[in-house]
Coordinates of all heavy atoms in Angstrom, one line a residue:
G8 N 0.8 -1.3 0.0 CA 0.0 0.0 0.0 C 0.8 1.3 0.0 O 0.2 2.4 -0.2
S9 N 2.1 1.2 0.2 CA 3.0 2.3 0.2 C 4.2 2.1 -0.8 O 4.6 1.0 -1.0 CB 3.5 2.6 1.6 OG 2.5 2.8 2.6
E10 N 4.7 3.2 -1.3 CA 5.8 3.1 -2.2 C 7.0 2.4 -1.6 O 7.8 1.6 -2.1 CB 6.3 4.4 -2.7 CG 5.6 4.8 -4.1 CD 6.2 6.0 -4.7 OE1 5.8 7.1 -4.2 OE2 7.0 6.0 -5.6
K11 N 7.3 2.7 -0.2 CA 8.4 2.2 0.5 C 7.9 1.5 1.7 O 7.1 2.0 2.5 CB 9.4 3.2 0.8 CG 10.2 3.6 -0.4 CD 11.4 4.5 0.0 CE 12.3 4.9 -1.2 NZ 13.1 6.0 -0.9
L12 N 8.4 0.2 2.0 CA 8.1 -0.4 3.2 C 9.3 -0.7 4.0 O 10.4 -0.8 3.4 CB 7.4 -1.8 2.9 CG 6.0 -1.8 2.2 CD1 5.5 -3.2 2.0 CD2 5.0 -1.0 3.2
P13 N 9.2 -0.9 5.3 CA 10.4 -1.4 6.0 C 11.0 -2.7 5.4 O 10.2 -3.6 5.0 CB 9.9 -1.7 7.4 CG 8.6 -0.9 7.5 CD 8.1 -0.8 6.2
E14 N 12.3 -2.8 5.3 CA 12.9 -3.9 4.6 C 12.5 -5.3 5.3 O 12.3 -6.3 4.5 CB 14.4 -3.8 4.7 CG 15.2 -4.8 3.9 CD 16.7 -4.6 4.1 OE1 17.2 -3.6 4.7 OE2 17.5 -5.5 3.6
E15 N 12.3 -5.3 6.6 CA 11.8 -6.4 7.3 C 10.5 -7.0 6.8 O 10.4 -8.1 6.5 CB 11.7 -6.1 8.8 CG 11.8 -7.2 9.7 CD 11.7 -6.8 11.1 OE1 12.0 -5.7 11.5 OE2 11.1 -7.6 12.0
L16 N 9.6 -6.0 6.4 CA 8.3 -6.4 6.0 C 8.4 -6.9 4.5 O 7.7 -7.8 4.0 CB 7.3 -5.3 6.1 CG 6.8 -5.1 7.5 CD1 5.8 -4.0 7.5 CD2 6.3 -6.3 8.2
T17 N 9.2 -6.2 3.7 CA 9.4 -6.5 2.3 C 9.9 -8.0 2.2 O 9.4 -8.8 1.4 CB 10.4 -5.6 1.6 OG1 9.9 -4.2 1.7 CG2 10.6 -6.0 0.1
N18 N 10.9 -8.3 3.1 CA 11.4 -9.7 3.1 C 10.4 -10.7 3.5 O 10.3 -11.7 2.9 CB 12.6 -9.8 4.0 CG 13.8 -9.0 3.5 OD1 14.0 -8.7 2.4 ND2 14.8 -8.6 4.4
H19 N 9.6 -10.3 4.4 CA 8.5 -11.2 5.0 C 7.5 -11.5 3.9 O 7.0 -12.6 3.7 CB 7.9 -10.7 6.2 CG 7.2 -11.7 7.1 ND1 7.9 -12.6 7.9 CD2 5.9 -12.1 7.2 CE1 7.1 -13.5 8.5 NE2 5.9 -13.1 8.1
L20 N 7.2 -10.4 3.1 CA 6.2 -10.6 2.0 C 6.8 -11.5 0.9 O 6.1 -12.4 0.4 CB 6.0 -9.2 1.4 CG 4.9 -8.3 2.0 CD1 5.0 -6.9 1.5 CD2 3.5 -8.8 1.9
Q21 N 8.1 -11.3 0.6 CA 8.7 -12.2 -0.4 C 8.7 -13.6 0.0 O 8.6 -14.5 -0.8 CB 10.1 -11.6 -0.8 CG 10.1 -10.4 -1.6 CD 11.5 -9.7 -1.6 OE1 12.4 -10.0 -0.9 NE2 11.6 -8.7 -2.5
N22 N 9.0 -13.9 1.3 CA 9.1 -15.2 1.8 C 7.7 -15.9 2.0 O 7.6 -17.1 2.2 CB 9.9 -15.3 3.1 CG 11.4 -14.8 2.9 OD1 11.9 -15.0 1.8 ND2 11.9 -14.3 3.9
S23 N 6.6 -15.1 1.9 CA 5.4 -15.6 2.2 C 4.8 -16.6 1.1 O 3.9 -17.4 1.4 CB 4.3 -14.5 2.4 OG 4.0 -14.0 1.2
E24 N 5.3 -16.5 -0.1 CA 4.9 -17.2 -1.2 C 3.4 -17.1 -1.5 O 2.8 -18.1 -1.9 CB 5.4 -18.8 -1.0 CG 6.9 -18.9 -1.0 CD 7.3 -20.4 -0.9 OE1 6.4 -21.3 -0.8 OE2 8.5 -20.6 -0.9
K25 N 2.9 -15.9 -1.2 CA 1.5 -15.7 -1.4 C 1.4 -14.7 -2.6 O 2.3 -13.9 -2.8 CB 0.8 -15.2 -0.2 CG 0.8 -16.2 0.9 CD 0.2 -15.6 2.2 CE 0.2 -16.7 3.2 NZ -0.2 -16.3 4.5
P26 N 0.3 -14.6 -3.2 CA 0.1 -13.5 -4.3 C 0.3 -12.1 -3.7 O -0.3 -11.8 -2.7 CB -1.4 -13.7 -4.7 CG -1.8 -15.0 -4.3 CD -1.0 -15.4 -3.1
V27 N 1.2 -11.3 -4.3 CA 1.4 -9.9 -3.8 C 1.2 -8.9 -4.9 O 1.8 -9.2 -6.0 CB 2.8 -9.8 -3.2 CG1 3.1 -8.4 -2.8 CG2 3.1 -10.7 -2.0
L28 N 0.4 -7.9 -4.8 CA 0.3 -6.9 -5.8 C 1.2 -5.8 -5.3 O 1.1 -5.2 -4.2 CB -1.2 -6.4 -5.8 CG -1.5 -5.3 -6.8 CD1 -1.2 -5.7 -8.2 CD2 -2.9 -4.7 -6.6
D29 N 2.0 -5.3 -6.3 CA 2.9 -4.2 -6.1 C 2.2 -2.9 -5.8 O 1.0 -2.8 -6.2 CB 3.9 -4.0 -7.2 CG 5.0 -5.2 -7.2 OD1 5.3 -5.6 -6.0 OD2 5.6 -5.5 -8.2
Y30 N 2.8 -2.0 -5.3 CA 2.2 -0.6 -5.0 C 1.6 0.1 -6.2 O 2.2 0.0 -7.3 CB 3.3 0.3 -4.4 CG 2.8 1.7 -4.3 CD1 1.9 2.1 -3.3 CD2 3.2 2.8 -5.2 CE1 1.5 3.4 -3.1 CE2 2.8 4.0 -5.1 CZ 1.9 4.3 -4.1 OH 1.4 5.6 -3.9
K31 N 0.4 0.5 -6.1 CA -0.3 1.3 -7.1 C -0.8 2.6 -6.5 O -1.4 2.5 -5.5 CB -1.5 0.5 -7.7 CG -1.1 -0.9 -8.3 CD -0.5 -0.7 -9.7 CE -0.2 -2.0 -10.4 NZ 1.3 -2.4 -10.3
S32 N -0.6 3.7 -7.1 CA -1.0 5.0 -6.6 C -2.6 5.0 -6.8 O -3.2 4.2 -7.4 CB -0.4 6.2 -7.4 OG -1.0 6.1 -8.7
K33 N -3.1 6.1 -6.1 CA -4.6 6.3 -6.0 C -5.1 6.4 -7.5 O -6.3 6.1 -7.8 CB -4.9 7.5 -5.2 CG -6.3 7.5 -4.7 CD -6.5 8.6 -3.6 CE -6.5 10.0 -4.1 NZ -6.9 10.9 -3.0
D34 N -4.3 7.0 -8.4 CA -4.7 7.3 -9.8 C -4.7 6.1 -10.7 O -5.4 6.0 -11.7 CB -3.8 8.3 -10.4 CG -3.8 9.7 -9.5 OD1 -4.9 10.0 -9.0 OD2 -2.8 10.3 -9.5
E35 N -4.1 5.0 -10.2 CA -3.8 3.9 -11.2 C -4.2 2.5 -10.6 O -4.1 1.5 -11.2 CB -2.4 3.8 -11.6 CG -1.4 3.6 -10.4 CD 0.0 3.4 -10.8 OE1 0.4 3.4 -12.0 OE2 0.8 3.2 -9.8
F36 N -4.8 2.6 -9.3 CA -5.0 1.2 -8.7 C -6.3 0.5 -9.2 O -6.3 -0.8 -9.1 CB -5.3 1.5 -7.2 CG -6.7 1.9 -6.9 CD1 -7.6 0.9 -6.4 CD2 -7.1 3.2 -7.0 CE1 -8.9 1.3 -6.1 CE2 -8.4 3.6 -6.7 CZ -9.3 2.7 -6.2
S37 N -7.2 1.2 -9.8 CA -8.5 0.5 -10.1 C -8.5 -0.7 -10.8 O -9.0 -1.8 -10.4 CB -9.4 1.6 -10.8 OG -10.7 1.2 -10.9
E38 N -7.9 -0.7 -12.0 CA -7.7 -1.9 -12.9 C -7.0 -3.0 -12.2 O -7.3 -4.1 -12.3 CB -7.2 -1.5 -14.2 CG -7.7 -2.3 -15.4 CD -7.3 -1.7 -16.7 OE1 -7.7 -0.6 -17.0 OE2 -6.4 -2.4 -17.4
A39 N -5.8 -2.6 -11.6 CA -4.9 -3.6 -11.0 C -5.6 -4.3 -9.8 O -5.5 -5.5 -9.7 CB -3.7 -2.8 -10.5
Y40 N -6.3 -3.5 -9.0 CA -7.0 -4.1 -7.9 C -8.1 -5.2 -8.3 O -8.3 -6.2 -7.9 CB -7.7 -3.1 -7.0 CG -6.8 -2.6 -5.9 CD1 -5.5 -2.3 -6.2 CD2 -7.3 -2.2 -4.6 CE1 -4.6 -1.7 -5.2 CE2 -6.4 -1.6 -3.6 CZ -5.1 -1.4 -3.9 OH -4.3 -0.9 -2.9
T41 N -8.9 -4.7 -9.4 CA -10.0 -5.5 -9.9 C -9.4 -6.9 -10.5 O -9.9 -8.0 -10.1 CB -10.7 -4.8 -11.0 OG1 -11.1 -3.5 -10.6 CG2 -11.9 -5.6 -11.5
E42 N -8.3 -6.8 -11.2 CA -7.7 -7.9 -11.8 C -7.1 -8.8 -10.7 O -7.2 -10.1 -10.7 CB -6.6 -7.5 -12.8 CG -6.0 -8.7 -13.5 CD -4.9 -8.4 -14.5 OE1 -4.7 -7.2 -14.8 OE2 -4.2 -9.4 -14.9
F43 N -6.5 -8.2 -9.7 CA -5.9 -9.0 -8.6 C -7.0 -9.7 -7.8 O -6.9 -10.9 -7.5 CB -5.1 -8.0 -7.6 CG -4.3 -8.6 -6.6 CD1 -3.2 -9.4 -6.9 CD2 -4.7 -8.5 -5.2 CE1 -2.4 -10.0 -5.9 CE2 -3.9 -9.1 -4.2 CZ -2.8 -9.9 -4.6
Y44 N -8.1 -9.0 -7.5 CA -9.2 -9.6 -6.8 C -9.7 -10.9 -7.5 O -9.9 -12.0 -7.1 CB -10.4 -8.7 -6.6 CG -10.3 -7.6 -5.5 CD1 -11.1 -6.5 -5.6 CD2 -9.4 -7.7 -4.5 CE1 -11.0 -5.5 -4.6 CE2 -9.4 -6.8 -3.4 CZ -10.2 -5.7 -3.5 OH -10.1 -4.7 -2.6
N45 N -9.9 -10.7 -8.9 CA -10.5 -11.7 -9.7 C -9.6 -12.9 -10.0 O -10.1 -14.0 -10.0 CB -11.0 -11.1 -11.0 CG -12.3 -10.3 -10.8 OD1 -13.2 -10.7 -10.1 ND2 -12.5 -9.2 -11.6
T46 N -8.3 -12.6 -10.3 CA -7.5 -13.7 -10.7 C -6.7 -14.3 -9.6 O -6.4 -15.5 -9.6 CB -6.6 -13.1 -11.9 OG1 -5.7 -12.1 -11.4 CG2 -7.4 -12.7 -13.1
K47 N -6.1 -13.5 -8.8 CA -5.2 -14.0 -7.7 C -5.9 -14.3 -6.4 O -5.5 -15.3 -5.7 CB -4.1 -12.9 -7.4 CG -3.2 -12.5 -8.6 CD -2.4 -13.7 -9.2 CE -1.5 -13.2 -10.3 NZ -1.0 -14.3 -11.1

């Protein structure tokens, strides 16, 4: 949800092996969120 996260959390996200959607700004999130919800 933020452009930069604490490194500790970034590593934990990468190690989770779960679907992760990269940061999207308020102006560009709409399509990405919809696709993420539907497909991932």
Side-chain angles (χ1 to χ4, degrees):
S9 302
E10 262 187 285
K11 287 188 174 162
L12 291 180
E14 190 179 352
E15 201 178 331
L16 289 183
T17 302
N18 293 339
H19 203 75
L20 280 168
Q21 287 168 347
N22 294 334
S23 72
E24 297 182 357
K25 294 175 182 180
V27 177
L28 177 66
D29 285 335
Y30 171 74
K31 299 285 183 256
S32 72
K33 199 165 77 172
D34 302 324
E35 59 174 2
F36 82 95
S37 185
E38 210 170 294
Y40 274 40
T41 307
E42 188 182 346
F43 188 69
Y44 283 161
N45 281 323
T46 60
K47 302 294 187 195

